[in-house]
Amino acid sequence: MLKLNCANIPKIIIALDFNDKKNAMKLVDLLNPDVFYLKIGKEMFTMLGKKFIYELHQLGFNIFLDLKFHDIPNTVFNATKAAADMGIWMLSIHASGGKKMLISAKKALQSFKTRPLLIGVTALTSLTHTDLKDIGIQMPLQDYILILSKLSSDCGLDGVVCPGKEAEKIKLLCGNKYKIITPGIRCLNDSTFDQNQIITPKQAKKFPIDYIVVGRSITSSKNPIKKLNFIIQSMQ
Ligand code: C5P
Protein backbone atom coordinates (compact mmCIF):
# COMPACT_ATOMS: atom_id res chain seq x y z
CA MET A 1 0.00 0.00 0.00
CA LEU A 2 1.27 3.45 -0.98
CA LYS A 3 2.35 5.57 2.00
CA LEU A 4 3.50 9.11 1.22
CA ASN A 5 3.63 12.54 2.76
CA CYS A 6 0.52 14.23 1.41
CA ALA A 7 0.28 17.02 4.00
CA ASN A 8 0.00 20.61 2.69
CA ILE A 9 -0.75 19.67 -0.90
CA PRO A 10 -4.16 19.45 -2.60
CA LYS A 11 -5.82 16.21 -1.54
CA ILE A 12 -6.12 13.55 -4.22
CA ILE A 13 -9.35 12.08 -5.51
CA ILE A 14 -8.82 9.13 -7.81
CA ALA A 15 -11.37 8.96 -10.64
CA LEU A 16 -12.15 5.25 -10.70
CA ASP A 17 -13.21 5.12 -14.34
CA PHE A 18 -12.87 1.49 -15.41
CA ASN A 19 -15.07 -0.70 -17.55
CA ASP A 20 -14.76 -3.66 -15.25
CA LYS A 21 -14.65 -4.16 -11.53
CA LYS A 22 -11.61 -6.43 -11.50
CA ASN A 23 -9.30 -3.76 -12.93
CA ALA A 24 -10.77 -1.11 -10.66
CA MET A 25 -10.12 -3.26 -7.60
CA LYS A 26 -6.51 -3.90 -8.68
CA LEU A 27 -5.89 -0.17 -8.24
CA VAL A 28 -8.10 0.22 -5.16
CA ASP A 29 -6.14 -2.51 -3.36
CA LEU A 30 -2.97 -0.42 -3.69
CA LEU A 31 -4.48 2.73 -2.17
CA ASN A 32 -4.57 3.84 1.44
CA PRO A 33 -8.13 4.97 2.27
CA ASP A 34 -6.77 7.40 4.86
CA VAL A 35 -4.94 9.30 2.13
CA PHE A 36 -6.91 8.94 -1.11
CA TYR A 37 -10.55 9.59 -1.95
CA LEU A 38 -12.34 7.66 -4.69
CA LYS A 39 -14.59 9.18 -7.30
CA ILE A 40 -17.27 6.92 -8.73
CA GLY A 41 -18.78 8.35 -11.89
CA LYS A 42 -21.47 7.46 -14.35
CA GLU A 43 -19.61 4.50 -15.86
CA MET A 44 -18.94 2.40 -12.76
CA PHE A 45 -22.11 3.44 -10.92
CA THR A 46 -24.26 2.47 -13.90
CA MET A 47 -22.51 -0.91 -14.08
CA LEU A 48 -22.24 -1.75 -10.42
CA GLY A 49 -24.59 0.53 -8.48
CA LYS A 50 -25.08 0.90 -4.76
CA LYS A 51 -23.47 -2.43 -3.88
CA PHE A 52 -20.12 -1.23 -5.19
CA ILE A 53 -20.30 1.95 -3.09
CA TYR A 54 -21.05 -0.24 -0.08
CA GLU A 55 -18.01 -2.46 -0.80
CA LEU A 56 -15.70 0.56 -1.08
CA HIS A 57 -17.13 1.95 2.16
CA GLN A 58 -16.37 -1.37 3.83
CA LEU A 59 -12.73 -0.89 2.76
CA GLY A 60 -12.72 2.51 4.48
CA PHE A 61 -12.86 4.85 1.46
CA ASN A 62 -14.67 8.18 1.29
CA ILE A 63 -16.63 8.30 -1.94
CA PHE A 64 -17.27 11.21 -4.25
CA LEU A 65 -20.34 10.17 -6.23
CA ASP A 66 -19.91 12.15 -9.43
CA LEU A 67 -23.25 11.66 -11.15
CA LYS A 68 -23.64 15.36 -11.99
CA PHE A 69 -27.39 15.54 -11.44
CA HIS A 70 -29.20 17.91 -13.81
CA ASP A 71 -32.99 17.68 -13.83
CA ILE A 72 -36.15 19.36 -12.55
CA PRO A 73 -35.94 20.39 -8.88
CA ASN A 74 -38.22 17.62 -7.58
CA THR A 75 -36.26 14.87 -9.33
CA VAL A 76 -32.94 16.29 -8.14
CA PHE A 77 -34.32 16.55 -4.59
CA ASN A 78 -35.21 12.85 -4.54
CA ALA A 79 -32.03 11.72 -6.29
CA THR A 80 -29.89 13.76 -3.87
CA LYS A 81 -31.66 12.18 -0.91
CA ALA A 82 -31.13 8.70 -2.36
CA ALA A 83 -27.44 9.46 -2.89
CA ALA A 84 -26.99 10.80 0.64
CA ASP A 85 -28.70 7.68 2.02
CA MET A 86 -25.69 5.70 0.74
CA GLY A 87 -23.43 7.57 3.16
CA ILE A 88 -21.22 9.08 0.48
CA TRP A 89 -18.77 11.89 1.25
CA MET A 90 -19.30 14.15 -1.75
CA LEU A 91 -21.90 14.56 -4.50
CA SER A 92 -21.98 16.59 -7.70
CA ILE A 93 -24.78 18.43 -9.51
CA HIS A 94 -24.62 20.68 -12.58
CA ALA A 95 -24.66 24.32 -11.49
CA SER A 96 -26.25 25.19 -14.86
CA GLY A 97 -29.42 23.40 -13.67
CA GLY A 98 -30.35 26.74 -12.10
CA LYS A 99 -31.15 28.29 -8.75
CA LYS A 100 -34.30 26.27 -7.96
CA MET A 101 -32.58 22.98 -8.74
CA LEU A 102 -29.54 23.86 -6.61
CA ILE A 103 -31.63 24.98 -3.63
CA SER A 104 -33.71 21.83 -3.95
CA ALA A 105 -30.61 19.64 -3.76
CA LYS A 106 -29.41 21.52 -0.69
CA LYS A 107 -32.81 21.13 0.98
CA ALA A 108 -32.72 17.38 0.35
CA LEU A 109 -29.69 17.15 2.64
CA GLN A 110 -31.23 19.05 5.57
CA SER A 111 -32.51 15.96 7.35
CA PHE A 112 -29.11 14.21 7.39
CA LYS A 113 -26.99 14.34 10.53
CA THR A 114 -23.88 13.70 8.48
CA ARG A 115 -24.40 14.91 4.95
CA PRO A 116 -22.27 14.74 1.82
CA LEU A 117 -20.53 17.84 0.54
CA LEU A 118 -22.66 19.21 -2.27
CA ILE A 119 -20.54 20.35 -5.19
CA GLY A 120 -21.62 22.24 -8.31
CA VAL A 121 -20.08 21.44 -11.67
CA THR A 122 -19.37 24.73 -13.42
CA ALA A 123 -18.02 24.18 -16.94
CA LEU A 124 -16.72 20.72 -17.80
CA THR A 125 -12.94 20.72 -18.16
CA SER A 126 -13.44 19.23 -21.63
CA LEU A 127 -15.16 22.42 -22.87
CA THR A 128 -13.60 25.16 -24.98
CA HIS A 129 -14.87 28.67 -25.82
CA THR A 130 -16.20 27.26 -29.11
CA ASP A 131 -18.19 24.57 -27.29
CA LEU A 132 -19.84 27.29 -25.19
CA LYS A 133 -20.71 29.31 -28.29
CA ASP A 134 -22.24 26.15 -29.82
CA ILE A 135 -24.72 25.97 -26.95
CA GLY A 136 -25.55 29.67 -27.22
CA ILE A 137 -23.32 31.04 -24.47
CA GLN A 138 -21.48 34.07 -25.81
CA MET A 139 -19.50 35.09 -22.72
CA PRO A 140 -15.90 33.95 -22.11
CA LEU A 141 -15.54 30.54 -20.41
CA GLN A 142 -13.93 32.18 -17.35
CA ASP A 143 -16.91 34.50 -16.80
CA TYR A 144 -19.34 31.60 -17.17
CA ILE A 145 -17.41 29.61 -14.54
CA LEU A 146 -17.44 32.56 -12.12
CA ILE A 147 -21.18 33.14 -12.55
CA LEU A 148 -21.96 29.47 -11.88
CA SER A 149 -19.57 29.41 -8.90
CA LYS A 150 -21.25 32.43 -7.31
CA LEU A 151 -24.70 31.00 -7.99
CA SER A 152 -23.72 27.69 -6.37
CA SER A 153 -22.32 29.53 -3.37
CA ASP A 154 -25.45 31.70 -3.02
CA CYS A 155 -27.59 28.54 -3.07
CA GLY A 156 -25.61 27.06 -0.18
CA LEU A 157 -23.42 24.56 -2.01
CA ASP A 158 -20.08 23.62 -0.45
CA GLY A 159 -17.91 24.20 -3.49
CA VAL A 160 -17.44 23.70 -7.20
CA VAL A 161 -15.67 21.57 -9.77
CA CYS A 162 -13.71 23.92 -12.01
CA PRO A 163 -10.50 24.26 -14.03
CA GLY A 164 -7.52 24.97 -11.77
CA LYS A 165 -6.76 28.32 -13.34
CA GLU A 166 -10.05 29.74 -12.02
CA ALA A 167 -9.51 28.63 -8.41
CA GLU A 168 -8.08 31.89 -7.10
CA LYS A 169 -10.87 34.11 -8.47
CA ILE A 170 -13.52 31.72 -7.13
CA LYS A 171 -12.01 31.73 -3.63
CA LEU A 172 -11.96 35.54 -3.69
CA LEU A 173 -15.57 35.64 -4.79
CA CYS A 174 -17.04 32.85 -2.66
CA GLY A 175 -14.72 32.69 0.35
CA ASN A 176 -11.73 30.64 1.34
CA LYS A 177 -13.78 27.81 2.84
CA TYR A 178 -15.54 27.24 -0.47
CA LYS A 179 -14.14 23.97 -1.82
CA ILE A 180 -12.38 23.84 -5.16
CA ILE A 181 -12.20 20.49 -6.91
CA THR A 182 -10.11 20.37 -10.07
CA PRO A 183 -10.05 17.63 -12.74
CA GLY A 184 -8.01 17.83 -15.94
CA ILE A 185 -4.72 16.99 -14.21
CA ARG A 186 -2.01 16.01 -16.66
CA CYS A 187 1.72 15.39 -16.32
CA LEU A 188 3.86 16.76 -19.16
CA ASN A 189 4.03 13.53 -21.17
CA ASP A 190 0.41 12.50 -20.63
CA SER A 191 -2.12 12.42 -23.41
CA THR A 192 -4.77 15.13 -22.86
CA PHE A 193 -7.48 12.77 -24.19
CA ASP A 194 -10.74 14.77 -24.31
CA GLN A 195 -9.75 17.36 -21.68
CA ASN A 196 -9.06 20.99 -22.67
CA GLN A 197 -8.70 22.92 -19.42
CA ILE A 198 -5.69 21.07 -18.06
CA ILE A 199 -2.99 21.81 -15.48
CA THR A 200 0.04 19.87 -14.28
CA PRO A 201 0.35 18.68 -10.67
CA LYS A 202 3.08 21.30 -10.21
CA GLN A 203 0.67 24.06 -11.26
CA ALA A 204 -2.04 22.57 -9.04
CA LYS A 205 0.14 23.20 -6.02
CA LYS A 206 0.31 26.92 -6.89
CA PHE A 207 -3.47 27.43 -7.10
CA PRO A 208 -5.77 27.41 -4.05
CA ILE A 209 -7.21 24.01 -4.97
CA ASP A 210 -8.55 21.77 -2.22
CA TYR A 211 -8.79 18.54 -4.19
CA ILE A 212 -7.41 17.40 -7.53
CA VAL A 213 -9.21 14.68 -9.46
CA VAL A 214 -6.82 12.33 -11.21
CA GLY A 215 -8.09 9.75 -13.65
CA ARG A 216 -6.40 8.55 -16.81
CA SER A 217 -3.01 9.94 -15.87
CA ILE A 218 -2.97 7.08 -13.38
CA THR A 219 -5.48 4.56 -14.70
CA SER A 220 -3.89 4.42 -18.18
CA SER A 221 -0.37 4.21 -16.78
CA LYS A 222 1.58 0.95 -16.88
CA ASN A 223 2.71 1.62 -13.34
CA PRO A 224 -0.07 3.57 -11.60
CA ILE A 225 1.63 3.70 -8.22
CA LYS A 226 4.89 5.04 -9.65
CA LYS A 227 2.83 7.67 -11.47
CA LEU A 228 0.87 8.59 -8.37
CA ASN A 229 4.13 8.90 -6.50
CA PHE A 230 5.44 11.23 -9.21
CA ILE A 231 2.26 13.37 -9.06
CA ILE A 232 2.56 13.71 -5.28
CA GLN A 233 6.24 14.59 -5.48
CA SER A 234 5.55 17.22 -8.15
CA MET A 235 3.20 18.96 -5.72
CA GLN A 236 5.63 19.03 -2.76
O1 C5P B 1 -9.21 10.80 -16.84
P1 C5P B 1 -9.32 12.22 -16.38
O2 C5P B 1 -8.24 12.60 -15.40
O3 C5P B 1 -9.52 13.20 -17.49
O4 C5P B 1 -10.66 12.17 -15.52
C1 C5P B 1 -11.32 13.27 -15.04
C2 C5P B 1 -12.51 12.82 -14.26
O5 C5P B 1 -13.16 13.95 -13.72
C3 C5P B 1 -13.55 12.06 -15.07
O6 C5P B 1 -14.10 11.06 -14.24
C4 C5P B 1 -14.60 13.10 -15.39
O7 C5P B 1 -15.89 12.55 -15.46
C5 C5P B 1 -14.50 14.03 -14.20
N1 C5P B 1 -14.85 15.44 -14.42
C6 C5P B 1 -14.22 16.25 -15.34
N2 C5P B 1 -14.59 17.56 -15.49
C7 C5P B 1 -15.55 18.08 -14.75
C8 C5P B 1 -16.19 17.30 -13.80
C9 C5P B 1 -15.80 15.97 -13.65
O8 C5P B 1 -13.30 15.77 -16.02
N3 C5P B 1 -15.86 19.36 -14.86
Side-chain angles (χ1 to χ4, degrees):
M1 193 175 276
L2 189 66
K3 277 190 185 154
L4 285 154
N5 178 16
C6 294
N8 303 320
I9 61 169
K11 295 189 176 67
I12 301 176
I13 302 173
I14 309 286
L16 212 59
D17 296 325
F18 286 95
N19 59 14
D20 78 283
K21 187 177 167 185
K22 217 172 148 191
N23 283 331
M25 292 314 288
K26 263 193 209 165
L27 177 61
V28 169
D29 286 343
L30 298 169
L31 302 172
N32 181 348
D34 295 332
V35 177
F36 300 102
Y37 300 79
L38 296 179
K39 184 175 88 65
I40 304 300
K42 292 184 170 92
E43 184 179 8
M44 295 219 85
F45 192 75
T46 304
M47 276 192 307
L48 304 169
K50 209 170 164 172
K51 199 165 164 263
F52 188 48
I53 303 289
Y54 177 74
E55 281 174 43
L56 296 171
H57 276 159
Q58 290 290 99
L59 294 173
F61 286 96
N62 286 311
I63 305 296
F64 172 15
L65 188 63
D66 184 26
L67 297 182
K68 302 185 185 74
F69 293 150
H70 192 165
D71 213 314
I72 59 169
N74 181 59
T75 302
V76 167
F77 180 92
N78 291 323
T80 301
K81 237 177 162 186
D85 272 336
M86 285 188 265
I88 51 163
W89 159 70
M90 188 182 270
L91 175 70
S92 63
I93 56 176
H94 268 291
S96 57
K99 204 177 200 168
K100 288 188 194 120
M101 189 200 84
L102 296 172
I103 290 173
S104 202
K106 185 67 201 291
K107 272 195 185 146
L109 299 175
Q110 267 170 8
S111 59
F112 289 85
K113 251 192 195 162
T114 312
R115 65 166 184 86
L117 293 169
L118 187 60
I119 302 297
V121 176
T122 56
L124 296 169
T125 35
S126 56
L127 294 180
T128 61
H129 291 279
T130 314
D131 293 320
L132 272 197
K133 272 192 187 158
D134 288 345
I135 55 169
I137 294 160
Q138 304 297 337
M139 70 179 79
L141 187 62
Q142 286 78 4
D143 294 355
Y144 185 61
I145 291 168
L146 283 182
I147 285 173
L148 291 179
S149 298
K150 183 70 171 57
L151 178 69
S152 302
S153 166
D154 290 347
C155 294
L157 270 64
D158 301 294
V160 280
V161 181
C162 68
K165 287 167 189 154
E166 313 312 324
E168 196 163 356
K169 279 189 195 148
I170 295 171
K171 288 266 185 185
L172 282 173
L173 192 67
C174 305
N176 201 33
K177 283 188 182 156
Y178 200 56
K179 303 267 182 283
I180 303 286
I181 293 100
T182 294
I185 304 299
R186 291 292 183 271
C187 300
L188 289 178
N189 294 327
D190 284 344
S191 160
T192 55
F193 297 103
D194 53 353
Q195 296 282 24
N196 278 297
Q197 311 300 322
I198 57 169
I199 55 168
T200 63
K202 211 170 189 166
Q203 285 175 304
K205 160 84 178 165
K206 291 185 187 140
F207 297 124
I209 294 169
D210 297 281
Y211 300 92
I212 55 167
V213 176
V214 190
R216 284 164 290 184
S217 181
I218 289 171
T219 57
S220 69
S221 159
K222 282 193 186 122
N223 189 338
I225 292 307
K226 195 173 164 196
K227 194 65 181 288
L228 198 45
N229 208 339
F230 174 77
I231 290 172
I232 292 166
Q233 271 160 13
S234 310
M235 291 196 290
Q236 302 291 331

